[in-house]
Amino acid sequence: MTSTLAAFLVRLTAIFVALWLLAPGAARADDCTAAMTDVVFSNVNPIAGADVYASGTLTVTCSFTLLTPNTVLPTASICVSLAGAGGTWRTMTNGGNTLPFNLYVDSSYSAAAIWGSASVPGTSQFKYSGGGLLGIGSASKTYTVYGKIPGNALSSVATTGSGDTLYTANFAGQGTIQYAFSGLVTPSCTAGASRTFSFQAKATVVNDCQISVGQLAFGTSRVLSAAVRASTSMNVVCTAGKAYQVSLNAGNNASGGLRRMKNAATGETVAYQLSSTLDGVSWGDGGSSGVALGRTGTGSNQSITVYGRVSPQTTPSPGDYKDTVTATLYF
């Protein structure tokens, strides 16, 4: 009799525990949190004109403290939102300078995939709804956060000082995780608790410059009794706000501080000058060949005219007279 009663009580207790585990809200998470790595864009070249990509990792962790192993996993709804999603672009800053970017929930980088919140129409959230996410104890789920800087908006992005420049956007407390759990039905994530989290977006903008120069041709001259002039274009693209200097060497045939074109057949020469203004001072490397040219980059192409002049002088034998001058860009 006693053993039968004991067995009945054990079965009754087992039934009670099973019912308790199946009750809505009984198998619940004590807490959920979210943590986010920084989204770091490295070596952003503003004159390259190309989109720049980076990514971060969002980790959602929920902890359960039920001591009895749960054979019925909870049904969960988790939504992770980010503030400040209005418009096409968010911005990173350095002082008064700005750098556009945005964060996305998938790699389509479309406007519909911008990571935002339910309160901002047209934006997306990271969401989970359904059963089997977590059991007893603690477990995590990770999501990739995709970042993009648009190449077509980079030309005006400036560096400061002589080095690379760090831009940042601080999302302190702007990330929000909302979560709700039930034993039977999928709840709305807004019906549960919420927590905030923080991270940063960072971009290192590098200094860069590009240069190209066309040929300078004086054309055909019979007698060098009057000045002969010609010009060509030098194109320079440098990071906005970056000071740079262009020097011209003395060429291959200089003598006595004068550049000279040479006839390869006869060895004869014709003296000439180069300057950055019409008939201006000689453009050189800061030494005997003349002064170097200093400018500041705009992020877009800067066309600089190179002026050449052959002054009146003794006319040498007919033929082709040439020289090679090297332009060096310092930044």
Side-chain angles (χ1 to χ4, degrees), residues 124-184:
S124 301
Q125 294 171 283
F126 289 96
K127 297 180 180 180
Y128 177 88
S129 295
L133 174 68
L134 300 167
I136 305 306
S138 178
S140 300
K141 185 174 179 65
T142 59
Y143 302 86
T144 299
V145 176
Y146 298 87
K148 174 185 172 181
I149 296 173
N152 60 8
L154 278 173
S155 63
S156 61
V157 175
T159 56
T160 58
S162 58
D164 300 339
T165 302
L166 180 65
Y167 283 72
T168 59
N170 188 7
F171 292 94
Q174 294 189 40
T176 302
I177 177 173
Q178 295 173 280
Y179 54 95
F181 292 82
S182 171
L184 295 176

Side-chain angles (χ1 to χ4, degrees), residues 77-102:
S77 286
I78 299 172
C79 296
V80 189
S81 302
L82 183 64
T88 305
W89 302 110
R90 294 176 165 102
T91 55
M92 288 178 270
T93 60
N94 178 282
N97 298 322
T98 61
L99 173 61
F101 78 106
N102 223 328

Side-chain angles (χ1 to χ4, degrees), residues 27 29 31-32 60-64 70 72-76 78 128 130-141 181:
D31 193 20
C32 282
V60 175
T61 302
C62 292
S63 300
F64 289 74
N70 187 1
V72 182
L73 294 177
T75 299
I78 299 172
Y128 177 88
L133 174 68
L134 300 167
I136 305 306
S138 178
S140 300
K141 185 174 179 65
F181 292 82

Side-chain angles (χ1 to χ4, degrees), residues 196 198 224 242 296 306:
T196 61
S198 304
L224 300 179
K242 177 60 185 175
T296 300
V306 181

Side-chain angles (χ1 to χ4, degrees), residues 10-24 26-27 68-72 184:
V10 170
R11 287 196 298 272
L12 182 61
T13 301
I15 293 171
F16 173 78
V17 170
L19 289 174
W20 180 76
L21 290 174
L22 288 169
T68 305
N70 187 1
T71 57
V72 182
L184 295 176

Side-chain angles (χ1 to χ4, degrees), residues 148-301:
K148 174 185 172 181
I149 296 173
N152 60 8
L154 278 173
S155 63
S156 61
V157 175
T159 56
T160 58
S162 58
D164 300 339
T165 302
L166 180 65
Y167 283 72
T168 59
N170 188 7
F171 292 94
Q174 294 189 40
T176 302
I177 177 173
Q178 295 173 280
Y179 54 95
F181 292 82
S182 171
L184 295 176
V185 236
T186 303
S188 165
C189 63
T190 57
S194 66
R195 281 180 174 271
T196 61
F197 61 95
S198 304
F199 67 96
Q200 288 187 317
K202 302 177 181 180
T204 300
V205 177
V206 300
N207 288 312
D208 194 14
C209 289
Q210 298 173 354
I211 185 172
S212 63
V213 189
Q215 288 190 344
L216 180 66
F218 287 100
T220 301
S221 297
R222 295 182 178 276
V223 179
L224 300 179
S225 58
V228 179
R229 295 177 177 84
S231 65
T232 189
S233 292
M234 173 184 293
N235 296 302
V236 177
V237 182
C238 282
T239 302
K242 177 60 185 175
Y244 65 88
Q245 191 175 72
V246 181
S247 70
L248 303 180
N249 74 354
N252 293 340
N253 311 298
S255 176
L258 290 178
R259 294 185 174 95
R260 297 177 185 273
M261 294 178 283
K262 186 176 181 179
N263 185 326
T266 67
E268 295 171 286
T269 60
V270 172
Y272 71 101
Q273 291 178 301
L274 298 175
S275 60
S276 59
T277 57
L278 182 64
D279 296 338
V281 297
S282 180
W283 183 354
D285 57 8
S288 60
S289 60
V291 298
L293 176 72
R295 295 282 175 90
T296 300
T298 64
S300 300
N301 180 66

Side-chain angles (χ1 to χ4, degrees), residues 110-121:
S110 66
I114 294 173
W115 182 18
S117 64
S119 61
V120 182

